[in-house]
Coordinates of all heavy atoms in Angstrom, one line a residue:
M1000 N 52.4 76.7 -35.9 CA 52.4 75.3 -36.3 C 53.7 75.0 -37.0 O 54.2 75.8 -37.8 CB 51.2 75.1 -37.4 CG 51.0 73.7 -37.7 SD 49.6 73.3 -38.7 CE 48.3 73.8 -37.6
V1001 N 54.3 73.9 -36.5 CA 55.6 73.6 -37.0 C 55.4 72.8 -38.3 O 54.7 71.9 -38.4 CB 56.4 72.7 -36.0 CG1 57.7 72.2 -36.6 CG2 56.5 73.4 -34.7
R1002 N 56.1 73.2 -39.3 CA 56.0 72.6 -40.7 C 57.4 72.2 -41.2 O 58.4 72.8 -40.8 CB 55.4 73.5 -41.7 CG 53.9 73.7 -41.4 CD 53.2 72.4 -41.9 NE 51.8 72.4 -41.6 CZ 51.2 71.6 -40.9 NH1 51.8 70.6 -40.2 NH2 49.9 71.6 -40.7
P1003 N 57.5 71.2 -42.1 CA 58.8 70.9 -42.6 C 59.4 72.0 -43.5 O 58.6 72.7 -44.2 CB 58.5 69.6 -43.4 CG 57.1 69.5 -43.6 CD 56.4 70.4 -42.6
S1004 N 60.7 72.2 -43.4 CA 61.3 73.2 -44.2 C 62.2 72.6 -45.2 O 62.6 73.3 -46.2 CB 62.2 74.2 -43.3 OG 63.1 73.4 -42.6
K1005 N 62.5 71.3 -45.1 CA 63.3 70.6 -46.1 C 63.0 69.1 -46.0 O 62.9 68.6 -44.9 CB 64.8 70.9 -45.7 CG 65.8 70.2 -46.7 CD 67.2 70.6 -46.4 CE 68.2 69.9 -47.3 NZ 69.6 70.1 -46.9
V1006 N 63.0 68.5 -47.2 CA 62.9 67.0 -47.2 C 63.8 66.5 -48.3 O 64.0 67.1 -49.3 CB 61.4 66.6 -47.6 CG1 61.0 67.2 -48.9 CG2 61.2 65.1 -47.5
E1007 N 64.4 65.4 -48.0 CA 65.4 64.8 -48.9 C 65.2 63.3 -48.9 O 65.1 62.6 -47.9 CB 66.8 65.1 -48.4 CG 67.9 64.5 -49.2 CD 69.3 64.7 -48.6 OE1 69.4 65.2 -47.4 OE2 70.3 64.3 -49.2
A1008 N 65.1 62.7 -50.1 CA 65.0 61.3 -50.3 C 66.4 60.7 -50.0 O 67.4 61.1 -50.5 CB 64.5 60.9 -51.7
L1009 N 66.4 59.6 -49.3 CA 67.6 58.8 -49.0 C 67.5 57.4 -49.6 O 66.3 57.0 -49.9 CB 67.8 58.7 -47.5 CG 67.9 60.0 -46.7 CD1 68.0 59.8 -45.2 CD2 69.1 60.9 -47.2
S1010 N 68.5 56.7 -49.6 CA 68.5 55.3 -50.1 C 67.6 54.5 -49.1 O 67.5 54.9 -47.9 CB 69.9 54.7 -50.2 OG 70.5 54.7 -48.9
G1011 N 67.1 53.4 -49.6 CA 66.4 52.4 -48.7 C 65.0 52.9 -48.4 O 64.5 52.5 -47.4
Y1012 N 64.4 53.8 -49.3 CA 63.1 54.3 -49.0 C 62.9 55.1 -47.7 O 62.0 54.8 -47.0 CB 62.0 53.2 -49.2 CG 62.0 52.6 -50.6 CD1 62.6 51.4 -50.9 CD2 61.5 53.4 -51.7 CE1 62.7 50.9 -52.1 CE2 61.5 52.8 -53.0 CZ 62.1 51.6 -53.2 OH 62.1 51.1 -54.4
R1013 N 63.9 55.9 -47.4 CA 63.9 56.7 -46.2 C 63.9 58.2 -46.7 O 64.4 58.5 -47.8 CB 65.1 56.4 -45.3 CG 65.1 55.0 -44.8 CD 66.4 54.7 -44.1 NE 67.5 54.9 -45.0 CZ 68.7 55.5 -44.7 NH1 68.9 55.9 -43.5 NH2 69.7 55.7 -45.6
I1014 N 63.3 59.0 -45.8 CA 63.4 60.5 -46.1 C 63.9 61.2 -44.9 O 63.6 60.8 -43.7 CB 62.0 61.1 -46.5 CG1 60.9 60.8 -45.5 CG2 61.6 60.6 -47.9 CD1 59.6 61.5 -45.7
H1015 N 64.7 62.2 -45.1 CA 65.3 63.0 -44.1 C 64.5 64.3 -44.1 O 64.3 65.0 -45.1 CB 66.8 63.3 -44.3 CG 67.4 64.1 -43.2 ND1 67.4 65.5 -43.3 CD2 67.9 63.8 -42.0 CE1 68.0 66.0 -42.2 NE2 68.3 65.0 -41.4
L1016 N 63.9 64.6 -42.9 CA 63.1 65.9 -42.7 C 63.8 66.8 -41.8 O 64.3 66.4 -40.8 CB 61.7 65.5 -42.2 CG 60.9 64.7 -43.1 CD1 59.7 64.0 -42.3 CD2 60.3 65.6 -44.2
T1017 N 63.6 68.1 -42.1 CA 64.0 69.2 -41.2 C 62.8 70.1 -41.1 O 62.2 70.4 -42.0 CB 65.2 70.0 -41.8 OG1 66.3 69.1 -42.1 CG2 65.6 71.1 -40.9
Y1018 N 62.5 70.4 -39.8 CA 61.3 71.2 -39.5 C 61.7 72.6 -39.1 O 62.9 72.9 -38.8 CB 60.5 70.6 -38.3 CG 59.6 69.5 -38.8 CD1 60.1 68.2 -39.1 CD2 58.3 69.7 -39.1 CE1 59.3 67.2 -39.5 CE2 57.5 68.7 -39.5 CZ 58.0 67.5 -39.8 OH 57.2 66.4 -40.2
S1019 N 60.8 73.5 -39.2 CA 61.1 75.0 -39.0 C 61.6 75.3 -37.6 O 62.2 76.3 -37.4 CB 59.8 75.8 -39.3 OG 58.7 75.4 -38.4
D1020 N 61.4 74.4 -36.6 CA 61.9 74.6 -35.2 C 63.3 74.0 -35.0 O 63.8 73.9 -33.9 CB 60.9 74.1 -34.2 CG 60.8 72.6 -34.2 OD1 61.3 71.9 -35.1 OD2 60.1 72.1 -33.2
G1021 N 63.9 73.4 -36.1 CA 65.2 72.8 -36.0 C 65.2 71.3 -35.8 O 66.2 70.6 -35.9
T1022 N 64.0 70.7 -35.5 CA 63.9 69.3 -35.3 C 64.1 68.6 -36.7 O 63.7 69.1 -37.7 CB 62.4 68.9 -34.8 OG1 62.2 69.5 -33.6 CG2 62.3 67.4 -34.8
E1023 N 65.0 67.5 -36.7 CA 65.2 66.8 -37.9 C 65.4 65.4 -37.6 O 65.7 65.0 -36.4 CB 66.4 67.4 -38.7 CG 67.7 67.3 -37.9 CD 68.8 67.9 -38.8 OE1 69.3 67.2 -39.8 OE2 69.2 69.0 -38.5
G1024 N 65.1 64.5 -38.6 CA 65.2 63.1 -38.4 C 64.9 62.4 -39.7 O 64.6 63.0 -40.7
I1025 N 64.9 61.0 -39.6 CA 64.6 60.2 -40.7 C 63.4 59.4 -40.5 O 63.2 58.8 -39.4 CB 65.9 59.3 -40.9 CG1 67.1 60.1 -41.3 CG2 65.6 58.3 -42.0 CD1 68.4 59.4 -41.4
I1026 N 62.6 59.3 -41.5 CA 61.4 58.5 -41.5 C 61.7 57.3 -42.5 O 62.1 57.5 -43.7 CB 60.1 59.2 -42.0 CG1 59.8 60.4 -41.2 CG2 58.9 58.3 -42.2 CD1 59.3 60.1 -39.8
D1027 N 61.5 56.1 -42.1 CA 61.7 54.9 -42.9 C 60.4 54.5 -43.5 O 59.5 54.0 -42.7 CB 62.3 53.8 -42.0 CG 62.7 52.6 -42.8 OD1 62.4 52.4 -44.0 OD2 63.4 51.7 -42.2
L1028 N 60.3 54.5 -44.8 CA 59.1 54.1 -45.5 C 59.3 52.8 -46.2 O 58.4 52.4 -47.0 CB 58.6 55.2 -46.4 CG 58.3 56.5 -45.8 CD1 58.1 57.6 -46.9 CD2 57.0 56.3 -45.0
S1029 N 60.4 52.1 -45.9 CA 60.7 50.8 -46.6 C 59.6 49.8 -46.4 O 59.3 49.0 -47.3 CB 62.0 50.3 -46.2 OG 62.0 50.0 -44.8
R1030 N 58.9 49.7 -45.3 CA 57.8 48.7 -45.1 C 56.6 49.1 -45.9 O 55.8 48.2 -46.2 CB 57.5 48.7 -43.6 CG 58.5 48.1 -42.7 CD 58.0 47.9 -41.3 NE 57.2 49.0 -40.9 CZ 57.4 49.9 -39.9 NH1 58.5 49.7 -39.2 NH2 56.6 50.9 -39.7
D1031 N 56.4 50.3 -46.2 CA 55.2 50.8 -46.9 C 55.4 50.9 -48.4 O 54.4 50.8 -49.1 CB 54.8 52.2 -46.3 CG 54.5 52.1 -44.8 OD1 53.8 51.1 -44.4 OD2 54.9 53.0 -44.1
A1032 N 56.6 51.2 -48.9 CA 56.8 51.4 -50.3 C 56.3 50.2 -51.1 O 56.7 49.0 -50.7 CB 58.2 51.7 -50.6
G1033 N 55.5 50.4 -52.0 CA 55.0 49.3 -52.9 C 53.7 48.6 -52.4 O 53.2 47.7 -53.0
R1034 N 53.2 49.1 -51.2 CA 52.0 48.5 -50.7 C 50.8 49.6 -50.6 O 51.0 50.7 -50.3 CB 52.2 48.1 -49.2 CG 53.2 47.0 -49.1 CD 53.6 46.7 -47.7 NE 54.4 45.5 -47.6 CZ 54.1 44.5 -46.9 NH1 53.0 44.4 -46.1 NH2 55.0 43.4 -46.8
G1035 N 49.6 49.1 -50.9 CA 48.4 50.0 -50.8 C 48.6 51.2 -51.5 O 49.0 51.3 -52.7
V1036 N 48.2 52.3 -50.8 CA 48.3 53.7 -51.4 C 49.7 54.1 -51.8 O 50.0 55.0 -52.5 CB 47.6 54.8 -50.5 CG1 46.1 54.5 -50.4 CG2 48.3 54.9 -49.2
F1037 N 50.7 53.4 -51.1 CA 52.1 53.7 -51.3 C 52.7 52.9 -52.4 O 53.9 52.8 -52.6 CB 52.9 53.6 -50.0 CG 52.5 54.5 -48.9 CD1 51.8 54.1 -47.8 CD2 52.8 55.9 -49.1 CE1 51.5 55.1 -46.8 CE2 52.4 56.8 -48.1 CZ 51.8 56.4 -47.0
A1038 N 52.0 52.1 -53.2 CA 52.5 51.3 -54.3 C 53.4 52.1 -55.2 O 54.4 51.6 -55.6 CB 51.3 50.6 -55.0
P1039 N 53.0 53.3 -55.6 CA 53.9 54.0 -56.5 C 55.3 54.3 -56.0 O 56.2 54.5 -56.8 CB 53.1 55.4 -56.7 CG 51.7 55.1 -56.4 CD 51.8 54.1 -55.3
L1040 N 55.5 54.3 -54.7 CA 56.8 54.5 -54.1 C 57.8 53.4 -54.4 O 59.0 53.6 -54.2 CB 56.7 54.8 -52.6 CG 55.9 56.0 -52.2 CD1 55.9 56.2 -50.7 CD2 56.3 57.3 -52.9
A1041 N 57.3 52.3 -54.9 CA 58.2 51.2 -55.2 C 59.2 51.6 -56.3 O 60.3 51.1 -56.5 CB 57.5 49.9 -55.6
D1042 N 58.7 52.6 -57.1 CA 59.6 53.1 -58.2 C 60.5 54.1 -57.5 O 60.1 55.2 -57.2 CB 58.7 53.7 -59.3 CG 59.5 54.4 -60.4 OD1 60.7 54.5 -60.3 OD2 58.9 55.0 -61.3
E1043 N 61.7 53.8 -57.5 CA 62.7 54.6 -56.7 C 62.8 56.0 -57.4 O 63.0 57.0 -56.6 CB 64.1 53.9 -56.6 CG 65.0 54.7 -55.6 CD 66.2 53.9 -55.2 OE1 66.3 52.7 -55.4 OE2 67.1 54.6 -54.7
A1044 N 62.8 56.1 -58.7 CA 62.8 57.4 -59.3 C 61.7 58.3 -58.8 O 61.8 59.5 -58.6 CB 62.8 57.3 -60.8
F1045 N 60.5 57.7 -58.8 CA 59.3 58.4 -58.3 C 59.5 58.8 -56.8 O 59.2 59.9 -56.3 CB 58.0 57.6 -58.5 CG 56.8 58.3 -58.0 CD1 56.3 59.5 -58.7 CD2 56.1 57.9 -56.9 CE1 55.2 60.1 -58.2 CE2 55.0 58.5 -56.4 CZ 54.5 59.7 -57.1
F1046 N 60.0 57.8 -56.0 CA 60.3 58.1 -54.6 C 61.1 59.3 -54.4 O 60.9 60.1 -53.5 CB 60.9 56.9 -53.9 CG 61.1 57.1 -52.5 CD1 60.1 56.9 -51.5 CD2 62.4 57.4 -52.0 CE1 60.3 57.1 -50.2 CE2 62.6 57.5 -50.6 CZ 61.6 57.4 -49.7
R1047 N 62.1 59.5 -55.2 CA 63.1 60.6 -55.1 C 62.4 62.0 -55.4 O 63.1 63.0 -55.2 CB 64.3 60.3 -56.0 CG 65.1 59.2 -55.4 CD 66.5 59.1 -56.0 NE 67.3 58.2 -55.2 CZ 67.9 58.4 -54.1 NH1 67.7 59.6 -53.5 NH2 68.6 57.5 -53.4
T1048 N 61.2 62.0 -55.9 CA 60.6 63.2 -56.3 C 59.9 63.9 -55.1 O 59.2 64.9 -55.2 CB 59.5 63.1 -57.4 OG1 58.4 62.3 -56.9 CG2 60.1 62.5 -58.6
V1049 N 60.1 63.3 -53.9 CA 59.4 63.9 -52.7 C 59.7 65.4 -52.5 O 60.8 65.8 -52.8 CB 59.9 63.1 -51.4 CG1 61.3 63.2 -51.1 CG2 59.0 63.4 -50.2
H1050 N 58.7 66.1 -52.1 CA 58.9 67.5 -51.9 C 57.9 68.0 -50.8 O 57.0 67.2 -50.4 CB 58.6 68.2 -53.2 CG 57.2 68.0 -53.8 ND1 56.9 66.9 -54.5 CD2 56.1 68.7 -53.7 CE1 55.7 66.9 -54.8 NE2 55.1 68.1 -54.3
I1051 N 58.0 69.2 -50.4 CA 57.1 69.8 -49.5 C 56.0 70.5 -50.3 O 56.2 71.3 -51.2 CB 57.7 70.9 -48.6 CG1 58.9 70.2 -47.8 CG2 56.7 71.6 -47.7 CD1 59.7 71.1 -47.1
G1052 N 54.7 70.0 -50.1 CA 53.6 70.5 -50.8 C 53.2 71.9 -50.5 O 53.7 72.5 -49.5
R1053 N 52.3 72.5 -51.2 CA 51.8 73.8 -51.0 C 51.3 74.1 -49.6 O 51.4 75.2 -49.1 CB 50.6 74.1 -52.0 CG 50.0 75.5 -51.9 CD 48.8 75.6 -52.8 NE 49.1 75.0 -54.1 CZ 48.2 74.8 -55.0 NH1 46.9 75.1 -54.8 NH2 48.5 74.2 -56.2
Y1054 N 50.8 73.1 -48.9 CA 50.2 73.2 -47.6 C 51.1 72.7 -46.5 O 50.7 72.4 -45.3 CB 48.8 72.6 -47.5 CG 47.9 73.2 -48.5 CD1 47.5 72.4 -49.6 CD2 47.4 74.5 -48.4 CE1 46.7 73.0 -50.6 CE2 46.6 75.1 -49.4 CZ 46.3 74.3 -50.5 OH 45.5 74.8 -51.5
G1055 N 52.4 72.4 -46.8 CA 53.3 71.9 -45.9 C 53.3 70.4 -45.7 O 54.1 69.9 -44.9
Q1056 N 52.6 69.7 -46.5 CA 52.6 68.2 -46.5 C 53.8 67.7 -47.2 O 54.4 68.4 -48.0 CB 51.3 67.7 -47.1 CG 51.2 67.7 -48.7 CD 50.7 69.1 -49.2 OE1 50.9 70.1 -48.6 NE2 50.1 69.0 -50.4
I1057 N 54.2 66.5 -46.8 CA 55.3 65.8 -47.5 C 54.7 65.0 -48.6 O 53.9 64.1 -48.4 CB 55.9 64.8 -46.4 CG1 56.4 65.7 -45.2 CG2 57.1 64.1 -47.0 CD1 56.5 64.9 -44.0
A1058 N 55.0 65.4 -49.8 CA 54.3 64.9 -51.0 C 55.2 64.3 -52.1 O 56.3 64.7 -52.2 CB 53.4 66.0 -51.5
W1059 N 54.5 63.5 -52.9 CA 55.1 63.0 -54.1 C 54.2 63.4 -55.3 O 54.7 63.6 -56.4 CB 55.2 61.5 -54.1 CG 56.3 61.0 -53.2 CD1 57.5 60.7 -53.6 CD2 56.2 60.7 -51.8 NE1 58.3 60.3 -52.5 CE2 57.5 60.4 -51.4 CE3 55.2 60.9 -50.9 CZ2 57.7 60.1 -50.0 CZ3 55.4 60.5 -49.5 CH2 56.7 60.1 -49.2
S1060 N 52.9 63.6 -55.0 CA 51.9 64.1 -56.0 C 50.8 64.6 -55.3 O 50.7 64.6 -54.0 CB 51.5 62.9 -57.0 OG 50.7 62.0 -56.2
D1061 N 49.8 65.1 -56.0 CA 48.5 65.6 -55.4 C 47.8 64.5 -54.7 O 47.0 64.8 -53.7 CB 47.7 66.3 -56.4 CG 48.2 67.6 -56.9 OD1 49.1 68.2 -56.2 OD2 47.8 68.1 -57.9
D1062 N 48.0 63.3 -55.1 CA 47.3 62.1 -54.5 C 48.1 61.3 -53.5 O 47.5 60.4 -52.9 CB 46.9 61.2 -55.7 CG 45.9 61.9 -56.6 OD1 45.1 62.7 -56.2 OD2 46.0 61.6 -57.8
L1063 N 49.4 61.6 -53.4 CA 50.2 60.8 -52.5 C 51.0 61.7 -51.6 O 51.9 62.4 -52.1 CB 51.1 59.9 -53.3 CG 52.0 58.9 -52.5 CD1 51.2 58.0 -51.7 CD2 52.8 58.0 -53.5
E1064 N 50.7 61.6 -50.3 CA 51.4 62.5 -49.4 C 51.3 61.8 -48.0 O 50.5 61.0 -47.8 CB 50.8 63.9 -49.3 CG 49.3 63.9 -49.0 CD 48.7 65.2 -49.3 OE1 48.9 65.9 -50.3 OE2 47.9 65.6 -48.4
I1065 N 52.1 62.3 -47.1 CA 52.0 61.9 -45.7 C 51.9 63.2 -44.8 O 52.3 64.3 -45.1 CB 53.2 61.1 -45.2 CG1 54.6 61.8 -45.4 CG2 53.2 59.7 -46.0 CD1 55.7 61.0 -44.8
C1066 N 51.3 63.0 -43.7 CA 51.0 64.1 -42.7 C 52.3 64.6 -42.1 O 53.0 63.8 -41.5 CB 50.0 63.6 -41.7 SG 49.6 64.8 -40.4
P1067 N 52.5 65.9 -42.2 CA 53.7 66.4 -41.6 C 53.7 66.4 -40.1 O 54.7 66.2 -39.4 CB 53.8 67.8 -42.1 CG 52.4 68.2 -42.4 CD 51.8 66.9 -42.9
D1068 N 52.5 66.4 -39.5 CA 52.3 66.4 -38.0 C 52.7 65.0 -37.5 O 53.4 64.8 -36.5 CB 51.0 66.7 -37.6 CG 50.6 68.2 -38.0 OD1 51.5 69.0 -37.9 OD2 49.5 68.4 -38.3
S1069 N 52.2 64.0 -38.2 CA 52.5 62.6 -37.8 C 54.1 62.3 -37.9 O 54.7 61.7 -37.1 CB 51.8 61.6 -38.6 OG 50.4 61.7 -38.4
A1070 N 54.7 62.8 -39.0 CA 56.1 62.6 -39.2 C 56.8 63.3 -38.1 O 57.8 62.8 -37.6 CB 56.5 63.1 -40.6
Y1071 N 56.4 64.5 -37.7 CA 57.0 65.3 -36.6 C 57.0 64.5 -35.3 O 58.0 64.4 -34.6 CB 56.4 66.7 -36.5 CG 57.0 67.6 -35.4 CD1 58.1 68.3 -35.8 CD2 56.5 67.5 -34.2 CE1 58.7 69.2 -34.8 CE2 57.1 68.3 -33.2 CZ 58.2 69.2 -33.5 OH 58.8 69.9 -32.5
E1072 N 55.8 64.0 -35.0 CA 55.7 63.2 -33.8 C 56.6 62.0 -33.8 O 57.2 61.6 -32.8 CB 54.2 62.8 -33.6 CG 53.4 64.0 -33.3 CD 51.9 63.6 -33.0 OE1 51.6 62.4 -32.9 OE2 51.1 64.5 -33.1
E1073 N 56.7 61.3 -35.0 CA 57.6 60.1 -35.1 C 59.1 60.5 -34.9 O 59.8 59.8 -34.2 CB 57.4 59.4 -36.4 CG 58.2 58.1 -36.6 CD 58.0 57.4 -37.8 OE1 56.8 57.5 -38.3 OE2 58.9 56.7 -38.3
I1074 N 59.5 61.6 -35.5 CA 60.9 62.0 -35.4 C 61.2 62.5 -34.0 O 62.2 62.2 -33.4 CB 61.2 63.1 -36.4 CG1 61.2 62.6 -37.8 CG2 62.5 63.8 -36.1 CD1 61.2 63.6 -38.9
S1075 N 60.4 63.4 -33.4 CA 60.7 64.1 -32.1 C 60.3 63.3 -30.9 O 60.8 63.6 -29.8 CB 60.0 65.5 -32.1 OG 58.6 65.3 -32.0
G1076 N 59.3 62.5 -31.1 CA 58.8 61.7 -29.9 C 57.8 62.5 -29.1 O 57.5 62.1 -28.0
K1077 N 57.5 63.7 -29.5 CA 56.5 64.6 -28.8 C 55.4 65.0 -29.8 O 55.6 65.1 -31.0 CB 57.2 65.8 -28.2 CG 58.0 66.7 -29.2 CD 58.7 67.7 -28.5 CE 59.6 68.5 -29.5 NZ 60.4 69.5 -28.8
P1078 N 54.3 65.3 -29.3 CA 53.1 65.7 -30.1 C 53.4 67.0 -30.8 O 54.1 67.9 -30.3 CB 51.9 65.9 -29.1 CG 52.4 65.5 -27.8 CD 53.9 65.3 -27.8
S1079 N 52.9 67.2 -32.0 CA 53.0 68.4 -32.7 C 52.0 69.4 -32.2 O 51.0 69.0 -31.5 CB 52.7 68.2 -34.2 OG 51.4 67.9 -34.4
E1080 N 52.1 70.7 -32.5 CA 51.1 71.6 -32.0 C 49.7 71.4 -32.5 O 48.7 71.6 -31.8 CB 51.6 73.0 -32.5 CG 52.9 73.5 -31.9 CD 53.4 74.8 -32.5 OE1 52.6 75.4 -33.3 OE2 54.5 75.2 -32.2
A1081 N 49.6 70.8 -33.7 CA 48.3 70.5 -34.3 C 47.5 69.5 -33.4 O 46.3 69.5 -33.4 CB 48.5 70.0 -35.7
S1082 N 48.2 68.6 -32.8 CA 47.5 67.6 -32.0 C 46.9 68.2 -30.7 O 46.1 67.5 -30.0 CB 48.4 66.4 -31.7 OG 49.5 66.8 -30.8
H1083 N 47.3 69.4 -30.4 CA 46.7 70.1 -29.2 C 45.6 70.9 -29.5 O 44.9 71.5 -28.7 CB 47.8 70.9 -28.5 CG 49.0 70.2 -28.0 ND1 48.8 69.1 -27.0 CD2 50.3 70.2 -28.3 CE1 50.0 68.6 -26.8 NE2 50.9 69.2 -27.5
A1084 N 45.3 71.1 -30.8 CA 44.2 72.0 -31.2 C 42.8 71.5 -30.9 O 42.6 70.3 -30.7 CB 44.3 72.3 -32.7

C-alpha cells in the first residue's frame, strides 16, 4: 500500500505530498478550509500543523484528517492500491 512519506503545508491552504513510490503533488484545500468539518483549517497556524498520522493519514488532529488514498488518486490520476482491494 502506497502511503505518504512527507507532507508540507504551503501558502493558500495547499499541501505538498510525497508518497513512498515517488509520486508527489499538491492538494488545494482552499475551497474547503473554513467550511464544515474543515472549519478549523481557516486558522493558518493550525493548517500548518499538518502531519502524517500514525496510520499514514494526512492529519491535523485525531479528529481532522484526509484519506491518503483519495489524495494519491487526485495527485496521480490513477487509483491507489487500496481501491483495488
Side-chain angles (χ1 to χ4, degrees):
M1000 190 174 293
V1001 179
R1002 287 288 177 238
S1004 57
K1005 183 178 178 185
V1006 61
E1007 176 187 8
L1009 303 174
S1010 64
Y1012 298 103
R1013 298 172 303 137
I1014 55 174
H1015 181 266
L1016 293 164
T1017 304
Y1018 280 80
S1019 59
D1020 69 348
T1022 298
E1023 63 180 285
I1025 295 173
I1026 300 288
D1027 184 351
L1028 296 169
S1029 61
R1030 291 186 321 244
D1031 301 315
R1034 297 174 173 233
V1036 298
F1037 294 110
L1040 298 184
D1042 175 358
E1043 192 168 342
F1045 180 69
F1046 181 80
R1047 294 196 168 279
T1048 67
V1049 66
H1050 61 279
I1051 299 170
R1053 181 183 318 166
Y1054 305 107
Q1056 74 276 31
I1057 302 154
W1059 288 267
S1060 68
D1061 289 339
D1062 299 323
L1063 184 55
E1064 57 191 46
I1065 58 175
C1066 174
D1068 298 324
S1069 296
Y1071 183 86
E1072 290 178 18
E1073 183 175 331
I1074 289 169
S1075 69
K1077 58 186 176 186
S1079 70
E1080 294 172 10
S1082 66
H1083 296 303

